[in-house]
Amino acid sequence: MGRLSERATRVARKTVERLGARATGAETFARAGVRALPELVGADLTTLSVCALRSGKRRVTGSPERALSAADIACFDRFFFAHPLVRFHTENPGGGTHRISDSLPDRAFRRTALYAEYYRRIGVAYAVAVPLYVDRETLVSFVLNRTGRDFDARERELLEAVRGPLAQIYRQARALDHARATVARYRAWFEAEGWSEVEVDAQCRIRRADRRALALLDIAVPGAGLRPGATLPAALVAWLTRSAGRSPAGAARSLTAGARVVVLRAMPAFDGGGWLLHVGERPGTPDSPGMAGAPLSAREREVLDWVAAGKTDAQAAAILGISARTVQKHLEHVYVKLGVEGRTAAVMRARAGR
């Protein structure tokens, strides 16, 4: 870490390590940072500011002990585009850690409306910004504020030393948030389409599975007695072993049990130590015996009508006076009869047939 003393380097490294360990997302990173950085150089008020450069607004995370009020933030926003730190970092994206006094002498700064209406209001006189991310639309910085004295050159150097690692942790935290949101959207999609999930470990033992997935597997592999902790049947283990070298999109397999066809799609688990199996059902061939192509019963039509109205399984069950599990069974029959794999497709097929 450059010209810092051995002790300062050690303290800076511990600060970065502590923040990295606590940053499970952008919000936890922000909360941990506003507590850790004042311990590094000392500050009366520290925030993580996410500035929207087009609108001139900012979102602020501060310590609960001294959080900025909505009125404080609104006051700052009135001077957003004239603020020395905002102007410096938008004009110099690679400018690094910067104090107000690096752009404007203290005496001149105290004559500004920004100081009179905002900084005097919140009770501080000096500020230094540690930018983590900047592009044409967004500026993200830790901002440390003081009352009694300005940040000296050694403190600025110390903050600059941790800026690069903190910027990397921030990017990783944002990536984690994005990954979680993507997974949540994906789960919502495949649940709406009638898929269920089974997670297995590297030895093909079931880590977790929902009831419908286990029920479908029991139909496809009768007598296997599958449950959490059990190992998949040898045929499925062999299939997963053969699939291991395939693309990240995974592999698919169909298992026929009379008129029912259970479909399995396999993807490597996110941690790389097992598999995610998505289990669904599609109708058998047209000439196979069973329900494919059969008309919906009155109760199945009722269930589908309430689903089309946006009701959940539990809500439809309450309206019809039956259990949520019974609703799910009716929907499973509806999927087979309409030749679809999920509730959204079933509603669209039913509407098209009216």
Side-chain angles (χ1 to χ4, degrees):
M1 293 188 175
R3 298 167 294 172
L4 295 176
S5 68
E6 182 178 344
R7 179 181 178 280
T9 300
R10 186 166 58 252
V11 172
R13 184 176 291 114
K14 287 183 178 179
T15 299
V16 170
E17 290 172 352
R18 188 164 67 251
L19 271 172
R22 295 176 180 174
T24 57
E27 186 61 28
T28 57
F29 169 77
R31 290 198 299 267
V34 299
R35 291 185 179 277
L37 289 182
E39 297 175 5
L40 186 64
V41 299
D44 299 315
L45 171 66
T46 302
T47 64
L48 180 79
S49 295
V50 180
C51 299
L53 300 179
R54 293 188 184 275
S55 65
K57 304 292 184 181
R58 66 172 180 158
R59 188 173 71 253
V60 179
T61 300
S63 62
E65 295 81 6
R66 191 175 179 185
L68 293 174
S69 68
D72 294 334
I73 295 172
C75 182
F76 177 96
D77 289 347
R78 290 201 297 271
F79 300 97
F80 184 94
F81 294 107
H83 195 289
L85 295 177
V86 173
R87 293 183 61 178
F88 176 80
H89 285 126
T90 54
E91 295 171 3
N92 303 275
T97 301
H98 195 77
R99 302 168 296 189
I100 288 180
S101 57
D102 292 322
S103 292
L104 195 64
D106 182 57
R107 182 173 296 180
F109 173 60
R110 289 174 183 264
R111 290 197 298 265
T112 64
L114 170 63
Y115 176 80
E117 296 185 33
Y118 175 71
Y119 279 96
R120 184 176 291 164
R121 172 194 182 103
I122 64 172
V124 298
Y126 306 98
V128 59
V130 184
L132 306 179
Y133 177 85
V134 59
D135 61 17
R136 288 182 296 180
E137 296 190 353
T138 308
L139 168 63
V140 181
S141 303
F142 279 117
V143 182
L144 293 84
N145 301 268
R146 273 191 192 152
T147 301
R149 64 178 180 85
D150 200 358
F151 296 86
D152 61 29
R154 186 197 67 83
E155 290 168 328
R156 182 178 59 177
E157 184 179 4
L158 187 56
L159 291 171
E160 179 63 18
V162 300
R163 183 176 68 86
L166 293 186
Q168 182 176 0
I169 295 170
Y170 174 75
R171 290 193 296 270
Q172 292 170 345
R174 288 291 306 275
L176 284 172
D177 287 342
H178 178 73
R180 289 192 192 96
T182 300
V183 169
R185 289 193 298 270
Y186 176 66
R187 288 187 187 281
W189 171 80
F190 80 72
E191 287 172 1
E193 291 300 313
W195 291 92
S196 298
E197 188 174 84
V198 178
E199 182 182 353
V200 300
D201 62 20
Q203 288 72 46
C204 292
R205 292 188 299 262
I206 297 176
R207 287 175 175 163
R208 62 174 178 83
D210 60 42
R211 291 182 179 179
R212 183 169 183 269
L214 292 177
L216 289 173
L217 287 176
D218 190 54
I219 292 169
V221 191
L226 296 178
R227 63 189 185 283
T231 301
L232 292 178
L236 295 184
V237 173
W239 167 61
L240 288 176
T241 301
R242 291 194 301 271
S243 302
R246 299 189 185 180
S247 71
R253 176 168 180 168
S254 297
L255 301 172
T256 302
R260 305 180 73 171
V261 180
V262 177
V263 181
L264 288 83
R265 299 183 184 276
M267 297 178 62
F270 297 124
D271 62 6
W275 293 87
L276 290 177
L277 301 182
H278 296 146
V279 186
E281 187 176 10
R282 64 176 172 79
T285 56
D287 57 351
S288 65
M291 295 188 296
L296 299 185
S297 69
R299 179 62 92 184
E300 289 164 356
R301 176 63 63 185
E302 283 183 308
V303 168
L304 186 56
D305 285 343
W306 285 117
V307 168
K311 302 300 182 183
T312 65
D313 290 356
Q315 290 169 335
I319 292 168
L320 297 172
I322 57 180
S323 70
R325 178 58 184 156
T326 300
V327 169
Q328 293 166 7
K329 291 300 295 183
H330 282 310
L331 286 175
E332 289 173 14
H333 294 161
V334 168
Y335 300 159
V336 173
K337 290 181 177 182
L338 296 182
V340 299
E341 292 185 346
R343 62 200 298 133
T344 303
V347 170
M348 294 176 65
R349 180 67 60 84
R351 286 173 175 170
R354 290 179 177 174

